[in-house]
Amino acid sequence: MINLIIFGPPGSGKGTQAQTIVEKFDLTHISTGDLFRDEIGNETVLGKKAKEYMNQGNLVPDEVTIGMLDNKLDQSQNPAGYIFDGFPRTLAQAEALDEILKKRNTKITHLIALDVNDDEIVNRLLERGKTSKRPDDQNEEIIRNRIEEYLEKTSPVFNYYNEQGVSNKVDGMGSMDDIFNRIYDILS
Ligand code: ADP
């Protein structure tokens, strides 16, 4: 079983790479950002809770996020494993994820961090904002806030899993294929 955390700042290409990895390894892709956007689209209670945080580029509170993730795992059993994309984004989420997986007699096998510099991130996100219609991609200040949130709250998750011996860094600059090949080498 592969349980992969695809890791890195907003705009580092996590979702793009996750799509290819899912196909090659038969994994289930769980993106908390996509789950929140579905909830917002369906105007659910959870979506209403998440919306303000997301639009400002702030993290959604842990208890909301962790509960949603736990439910999603219950609904999508896959013995081949999972790619976690955009989760965990805090140390509390990482600890919760470990507990959730332990209940299911499994654990995180890999964390792969995509390494991309800040200027490239801002450029990619502003570019994506032209077509994505995502409110958090439209404004440079909100993008900078997402990067701040990442540096402050999310980046320590790399070391947390490094202590478990599963963290890897991959150069996230270059073509999609080149980056995928770097990831493939680690997974196979
Ligand atoms: P990106 O990686 O480009 O920022 P995502 O779709 O992963 O895009 O996340 C968009 C937003 O959704 C985040 O800025 C945050 O507000 C919210 N979000 C997604 N995942 C989490 C999480 N694990 N914890 C808290 N907030 C989250």
Side-chain angles (χ1 to χ4, degrees):
M1 189 172 191
I2 293 178
N3 289 309
L4 165 68
I5 298 169
I6 187 86
F7 194 76
S12 55
K14 301 185 295 288
T16 308
Q17 290 299 330
Q19 278 176 6
T20 319
I21 304 166
V22 158
E23 285 164 22
K24 298 272 176 190
F25 293 91
D26 259 344
L27 305 177
T28 297
H29 180 201
I30 298 187
S31 155
T32 43
D34 287 348
L35 293 174
F36 281 133
R37 280 183 289 277
D38 285 347
E39 299 281 344
I40 291 171
N42 294 327
E43 298 183 352
T44 64
V45 175
L46 203 153
K48 288 193 180 112
K49 276 190 200 155
K51 189 173 176 179
E52 287 313 307
Y53 295 99
M54 290 177 74
N55 286 352
Q56 296 305 316
N58 293 320
L59 294 186
V60 179
D62 284 337
E63 61 277 13
V64 177
T65 310
I66 291 165
M68 178 178 74
L69 190 276
D70 199 6
N71 285 336
K72 182 69 189 173
L73 273 183
D74 276 340
Q75 292 157 14
S76 41
Q77 311 282 341
N78 180 357
Y82 299 87
I83 301 186
F84 298 97
D85 168 4
F87 186 93
R89 259 181 157 99
T90 62
L91 286 174
Q93 289 180 18
E95 285 162 5
L97 178 61
D98 285 358
E99 281 304 310
I100 287 168
L101 293 177
K102 203 167 167 188
K103 272 194 308 199
R104 295 170 169 81
N105 292 316
T106 183
K107 62 186 174 72
I108 291 300
T109 56
H110 305 78
L111 177 149
I112 296 182
L114 298 171
D115 207 10
V116 179
N117 67 53
D118 280 9
D119 288 343
E120 171 76 9
I121 289 167
V122 174
N123 285 339
R124 284 188 191 178
L125 289 176
L126 286 172
E127 199 52 43
R128 184 172 81 186
K130 291 179 189 164
T131 52
S132 76
K133 302 270 183 340
R134 278 177 52 172
D136 58 344
D137 283 348
Q138 310 288 328
N139 169 309
E140 183 158 346
E141 207 179 313
I142 291 173
I143 292 174
R144 297 263 175 213
N145 188 42
R146 285 158 65 197
I147 297 171
E148 278 299 306
E149 287 278 82
Y150 173 80
L151 291 175
E152 187 185 323
K153 297 174 184 162
T154 307
S155 62
V157 170
F158 182 90
N159 280 340
Y160 175 88
Y161 283 104
N162 202 29
E163 281 166 20
Q164 297 184 21
V166 297
S167 288
N168 302 270
K169 257 194 195 117
V170 156
D171 182 359
M173 308 283 284
S175 74
M176 275 166 53
D177 284 352
D178 286 347
I179 300 166
F180 176 72
N181 287 332
R182 294 173 197 143
I183 294 173
Y184 188 85
D185 284 346
I186 293 171
L187 292 178
S188 50

